[in-house]
Amino acid sequence: MDVIVEEILVKGKGGREKGNPPGREGRAEGAGWTSPFSLLSSLFSKKDFARGIHPASYKGGLDQPIRRMPFPRKLVLPLAQHIGKPATPLVAVGQEVLRGQPIASANGPLSVPIHAPADGVVEAIALQPSARGAWTESIVLRVFEASVQEMGWSQPLDIDALDHAQLIAAIQASGLVGLGGAAFPSHAKFDVPAQHSVHTLIVNGCECEPYLTCDYKLMREWPQDLIAGTRIAMRASGAQRAVIGVEDNKLDALEAIRPHLPADGSITLQAVATKYPQGAEKMLIKSLLGLDVPAGGLPVQLGIVVNNVGTLALLGRLLPQGQGLIERVVTLAGPGIKRPGDYWIPLGTTLRSILDWAGNPECGEREVILGGPMMGQAASSLDIPVTKGTSGILVFDKRMLEPITQHSWACIHCSECVNACPMGLNPSQLGMLAGKLEFDEMAQQYHLGDCFECGCCTYVCPSHIPLVQQFRAAKAFLRERKPL
Amino acid sequence: MSIELRPSPHLHSGRDVPTIMRHVVYALFPVCAFSIWQYGLSALALIVTVTLSCLAAERIANRMSGTVNTLSDWSATITGVLLALTLPPAFPLWMGAVAGFAAIWLGKSLFGGLGHNPFNPALVGRAFVQAAFPTAITTWAPAFAPQRFSEFIPSSLTLPFMVPNDISAWVAANMVDGFTGATPLARWKFEHFVYPVEDMITGAASASSGETSALLLLVCGLYLIARKFMDWRIPVAVVGSAMIMAWGFQLYDAETYPPMHLALLSGGLMLGALFMATDMATSPVTPMGVWVYGALIGVLTILIRYFGGLTEGVMYAILVGNAAAPLIDKYLQPKVFGARKK
Ligand code: SF4
Ligand code: SF4
């Protein structure tokens, strides 16, 4: 363990000296003729991981600021918007609530509270459809027509005065979870188990999913909050330094952050290669620090905690005010969206009310995706609300779905999937075994458990074999069988 | 409005099997054109006949097995064109048709079609006719015969199931300087004659329809590599290992073993390395496996040529490589990310 830490710190030092994005400080010194060399060396030292894919980015409207849309009439707030135990309601039907007021409390250490995203009255506490399934216990709010989009509820905190336990409790009370999509409670991530010690916080600014731009906009518009949140996260996790990793197609986001970096050099910026899935924890750690998280292991074993920029920007914004998470930035995009862009959307807003305002009614048969197109889930109903983990809402029309609905061929051993899999698996072989239902062999011989379902294999397969879909099914089968 | 429910990923690269196969066919066009320019009507008729027989065989196989029509995936077309290019230009057309049917039925349909075939179908077809018609497959015709665009090489038009017409009178009448009716490799083996490099690069040596111009094959292969329709590692491994082997033998005994350019530029090594060893369905998928497979083919080619009875060893080397591919894949799995070092 110590060896690894040392290694990281040594590498980190090197990274700070010459790790600036290509074309910046690294090239400032020296006469004209040296630049080709530094250009070359910056090419070779490219921060990258092996394999992966380069899908078209489809990211549009990059100059537009984050906007707001009309307040919905009704909000549906599932009690389980995070990984862990559902929250416990604090309100009764018929009770009036204020925007920002806690309406459900955390139920145990791996749980977070829920706050009212608008002034309104509790209409029901009932089973409602959500992205998790048809029936999820939810609080339904009827929003007052005059509700303003300003925070009504606030208990400013002096963060520097809090001790570690109080800080973790304050983060839990903010209801914050990983906003990149995983929705893992943030305080639990910062509360590092005693047997590990964290030295580096990685701030994940790699929005590698096509279409999504919400993190990019947050970095550009809220760099101060991002840095404030990063410092809080460093304190909470015990990290001595933080590295903000951003893909090299968003260098302007890096430049927006740079002026706000603290003078002590504890937070550094690093551009990494633009490709999918650069935003996956293990890939980003590989790119930034050159370290392999052991198969089946967690970053914290190497003394690393990874957090998404969106999460930290909101942490920096909410915690000093003692406010809770009531809205998030969501990217609306795809051919079925008439008003694409990034919006602050109150949690609990249903897809139907968003699409009524932003959708394109002409788009016939369509698919509504929550999150990015590579790993996002298709919504089964328009009554599903936006929750803490919803980073995007994409509406695809029939044309977009065509390549996937075509018929498939047998595996032609083209090896594209093997050359794409960031985990170094052999999807071709796995797919063949899945076809024969040999799930045990998949897990024991071919590392099925290491597949994190990024979808690169399915994306590249010219035979249109639903590889990752089969792997998911195989994993589910093995999971369900295990207790027996 | 209806909404669709589909598991992720919701995007696809847009590539599919027919696109890949179609581009391989495109890349083979110039090779065919060159062959026709060299050998005239006979080459044209041979390419057309073999390709059509492959397509017919594929269609019949579809009918019999009740599967969908697979002509549209272009793989039978590739098999046909490639097979034609490995046959001697004077090959009787009816034997070409036999080769086409053998390639598709024995090489592919029998195993369940594209992707399930362990061996490159074109090579299966060629191996079949090599065994069935050993004389015809080693009867070479001179390139650039003066009458090539107005008359067939007599053997082309042999009636089905008949012994090929004798072409010696025709060869004598169409005599081109230096033609001996033997391939460069055979001439080395039997007469120690060293073909000039230029002839072998530009296609003036006698050989199968498609193997003569190493340069043209390389350009067409580069097109596929540039468009990412071909795995560059395989031809590099095949040619590289063959080169090292040939160089080693040369160093050891320059009298007995042919010069390197003969080894590399003749006997279909280029055609095999670029267009047959790279056949996706029958080559390994793992990164290490691809190199091992290519090297195996290169080494075997030279060994078969120098120590076996056959002057042209590429075909058998690739068939052995195909047979070994599943094993190679099995033992050379890619390294899993974060795997603990043992
Ligand atoms: S989904 Fe799994 S098998 Fe496929 S590329 Fe991603 S990690 Fe590899
Ligand atoms: S990408 Fe598809 S066709 Fe190619 S090797 Fe993988 S599974 Fe087979």
Side-chain angles (χ1 to χ4, degrees):
Chain A
M1 186 71 216
D2 285 346
V3 182
I4 297 175
V5 174
E6 213 165 274
E7 191 184 332
I8 294 170
L9 292 176
V10 170
K11 282 192 185 180
K13 233 171 145 194
R16 210 167 304 157
E17 277 156 19
K18 55 179 172 31
N20 294 309
R24 290 286 150 190
E25 280 85 327
R27 229 203 290 175
E29 88 288 51
W33 61 271
T34 56
S35 64
F37 292 101
S38 59
L39 202 71
L40 259 184
S41 71
S42 74
L43 266 181
F44 285 122
S45 67
K46 184 139 183 155
K47 301 287 178 177
D48 203 355
F49 64 95
R51 298 173 293 274
I53 55 172
H54 295 93
S57 89
Y58 297 104
K59 297 189 200 253
L62 293 177
D63 305 330
Q64 277 178 344
I66 306 174
R67 290 169 290 166
R68 289 187 180 273
M69 58 173 67
F71 237 92
R73 283 301 178 71
K74 187 179 94 171
L75 295 173
V76 180
L77 295 147
L79 294 171
Q81 302 190 19
H82 49 264
I83 291 178
K85 278 203 179 147
T88 317
L90 293 171
V91 289
V93 176
Q95 187 176 336
E96 290 188 5
V97 294
L98 280 179
R99 180 164 155 99
Q101 174 186 346
I103 53 173
S105 65
N107 176 14
L110 195 62
S111 180
V112 288
I114 294 169
H115 304 75
D119 298 343
V121 58
V122 178
E123 201 173 70
I125 299 177
L127 297 177
Q128 294 284 327
S130 86
R132 300 208 167 185
W135 304 110
T136 318
E137 178 101 47
S138 310
I139 298 176
V140 183
L141 274 190
R142 183 159 46 78
V143 177
F144 291 151
E145 292 212 10
S147 181
V148 284
Q149 304 195 3
E150 267 164 24
M151 190 70 93
W153 187 282
S154 162
Q155 287 173 324
L157 278 177
D158 180 8
I159 293 172
D160 294 332
L162 301 178
D163 67 18
H164 184 257
Q166 285 170 326
L167 185 61
I168 297 289
I171 296 173
Q172 182 175 21
S174 73
L176 206 61
V177 301
L179 299 182
F184 187 79
S186 299
H187 69 276
K189 207 170 198 174
F190 297 137
D191 200 10
V192 177
Q195 72 266 34
H196 300 300
S197 84
V198 166
H199 49 80
T200 303
L201 171 75
I202 287 184
V203 184
N204 186 350
C206 298
E207 205 164 31
C208 56
E209 282 263 14
Y211 288 99
L212 300 189
T213 48
C214 53
D215 284 348
Y216 165 74
K217 300 278 174 76
L218 268 173
M219 286 190 277
R220 244 183 28 185
E221 292 183 30
W222 303 88
Q224 258 163 313
D225 288 334
L226 173 60
I227 297 299
T230 305
R231 302 185 84 159
I232 298 171
M234 286 166 75
R235 251 196 79 199
S237 61
Q240 298 113 36
R241 64 167 189 146
V243 186
I244 304 178
V246 180
E247 285 175 298
D248 56 13
N249 63 345
K250 309 191 232 318
L251 291 178
D252 56 332
L254 274 186
E255 292 320 307
I257 300 169
R258 192 181 299 282
H260 303 280
L261 292 181
D264 62 5
S266 57
I267 304 179
T268 50
L269 294 174
Q270 180 65 62
V272 293
T274 303
K275 72 179 184 187
Y276 179 86
Q278 185 66 269
E281 278 187 351
K282 291 184 176 185
M283 304 309 136
L284 186 57
I285 291 173
K286 177 79 186 175
S287 298
L288 287 175
L289 306 177
L291 292 174
D292 289 13
V293 177
L298 292 171
V300 74
Q301 292 170 341
L302 297 180
I304 299 167
V305 167
V306 183
N307 257 274
N308 164 271
V309 283
T311 314
L312 294 187
L314 277 163
L315 180 66
R317 192 176 161 192
L318 298 174
L319 206 66
Q321 307 300 324
Q323 291 170 336
L325 180 68
I326 57 168
E327 56 185 12
R328 62 158 298 148
V329 183
V330 178
T331 304
L332 304 189
I337 296 278
K338 183 176 64 191
R339 294 167 160 160
D342 297 278
Y343 295 88
W344 285 106
I345 294 187
L347 301 177
T349 309
T350 59
L351 297 181
R352 191 181 304 283
S353 66
I354 293 171
L355 293 185
D356 278 349
W357 185 79
N360 179 1
E362 266 112 75
C363 169
E365 185 174 319
R366 53 186 175 175
E367 187 183 32
V368 181
I369 300 156
L370 301 172
M374 293 301 295
M375 290 179 86
Q377 179 193 356
S380 56
S381 147
L382 290 183
D383 295 318
I384 289 177
V386 166
T387 54
K388 294 178 179 178
T390 312
S391 50
I393 298 170
L394 309 179
V395 184
F396 281 5
D397 60 11
K398 202 163 186 164
R399 193 166 35 89
M400 304 281 308
L401 303 174
E402 235 157 44
I404 316 171
T405 49
Q406 279 177 1
H407 90 282
S408 61
W409 291 266
C411 169
I412 57 163
H413 303 266
C414 66
S415 75
E416 299 238 10
C417 52
V418 181
N419 297 333
C421 176
M423 287 308 289
L425 308 182
N426 183 343
S428 161
Q429 185 77 27
L430 283 169
M432 209 192 72
L433 291 171
K436 295 196 244 161
L437 306 182
E438 295 189 13
F439 300 144
D440 288 306
E441 189 170 353
M442 290 169 75
Q444 283 151 22
Q445 302 286 320
Y446 295 98
H447 313 277
L448 176 65
D450 287 323
C451 167
F452 68 105
E453 303 175 17
C454 66
C456 290
C457 46
T458 305
Y459 176 85
V460 296
C461 180
S463 287
H464 298 222
I465 301 170
L467 295 165
V468 65
Q469 294 89 328
Q470 293 177 338
F471 306 161
R472 246 182 244 134
K475 282 178 170 181
F477 175 86
L478 291 175
R479 239 190 338 260
E480 265 162 40
R481 202 197 45 185
K482 213 159 236 166
L484 297 181
Chain B
M1 185 203 77
S2 62
I3 61 173
E4 296 270 313
L5 260 186
R6 248 180 269 276
S8 64
H10 307 275
L11 286 180
H12 191 271
S13 65
R15 278 200 177 210
D16 56 16
V17 172
T19 313
I20 297 178
M21 301 290 173
R22 209 175 60 233
H23 278 86
V24 177
V25 175
Y26 292 163
L28 287 169
F29 267 146
V31 183
C32 292
F34 186 73
S35 170
I36 294 166
W37 182 57
Q38 273 184 308
Y39 297 106
L41 281 181
S42 287
L44 175 65
L46 185 65
I47 292 169
V48 170
T49 310
V50 178
T51 309
L52 287 181
S53 65
C54 282
L55 292 175
E58 178 97 351
R59 191 73 194 100
I60 293 170
N62 286 163
R63 283 274 167 80
M64 289 194 333
S65 62
T67 50
V68 288
N69 183 344
T70 50
L71 294 189
S72 58
D73 69 22
W74 291 81
S75 63
T77 314
I78 297 186
T79 302
V81 174
L82 266 182
L83 176 56
L85 291 176
T86 61
L87 297 173
F91 204 58
L93 295 180
W94 75 268
M95 293 182 181
V98 170
F101 276 88
I104 295 292
W105 284 352
L106 299 181
K108 200 162 94 173
S109 310
L110 204 59
F111 297 100
L114 177 65
H116 301 292
N117 51 314
F119 298 107
N120 186 329
L123 287 178
V124 171
R126 160 132 185 163
F128 182 85
V129 287
Q130 177 122 34
F133 315 115
T135 323
I137 206 146
T138 47
T139 306
W140 311 100
F144 305 113
Q147 302 297 317
R148 64 190 188 277
F149 293 117
S150 53
E151 56 183 51
F152 284 93
I153 303 170
S155 57
S156 296
L157 299 176
T158 309
L159 288 176
F161 307 108
M162 292 293 148
V163 179
N165 303 331
D166 185 34
I167 65 163
S168 49
W170 180 84
V171 169
N174 283 283
M175 201 53 203
V176 188
D177 267 357
F179 177 74
T180 58
T183 61
L185 277 179
R187 291 191 64 187
W188 168 267
K189 195 148 190 162
F190 303 116
E191 319 163 20
H192 270 226
F193 173 81
V194 178
Y195 245 84
V197 185
E198 315 83 71
D199 283 3
M200 302 185 58
I201 287 183
T202 53
S206 60
S208 299
S209 327
E211 342 181 307
T212 53
S213 172
L215 186 66
L216 184 65
L217 285 166
L218 201 62
V219 170
C220 295
L222 284 177
Y223 164 77
L224 286 180
I225 289 171
R227 296 287 314 267
K228 298 217 166 78
F229 291 114
M230 183 194 276
D231 190 340
W232 60 271
R233 296 170 296 182
I234 295 177
V236 168
V238 174
V239 176
S241 61
M243 200 148 95
I244 294 170
M245 287 289 283
W247 180 70
F249 278 116
Q250 261 275 293
L251 273 191
Y252 174 66
D253 183 355
E255 274 301 296
T256 330
Y257 299 108
M260 212 154 71
H261 78 267
L262 264 189
L264 295 186
L265 299 177
S266 69
L269 183 72
M270 282 291 166
L271 185 69
L274 285 161
F275 290 95
M276 300 209 204
T278 51
D279 172 34
M280 291 168 174
T282 55
S283 58
V285 296
T286 64
M288 268 304 285
V290 168
W291 288 110
V292 170
Y293 164 84
L296 178 71
I297 292 175
V299 168
L300 278 178
T301 302
I302 299 293
L303 290 181
I304 295 175
R305 279 184 185 173
Y306 291 5
F307 302 107
L310 301 149
T311 48
E312 334 267 327
V314 187
M315 172 177 82
Y316 291 103
I318 296 178
L319 286 173
V320 173
N322 290 166
L327 266 182
I328 294 178
D329 262 349
K330 185 161 184 215
Y331 288 107
L332 295 173
Q333 284 297 321
K335 183 180 163 289
V336 176
F337 184 95
R340 286 182 189 83
K341 290 180 194 94
K342 297 206 176 96

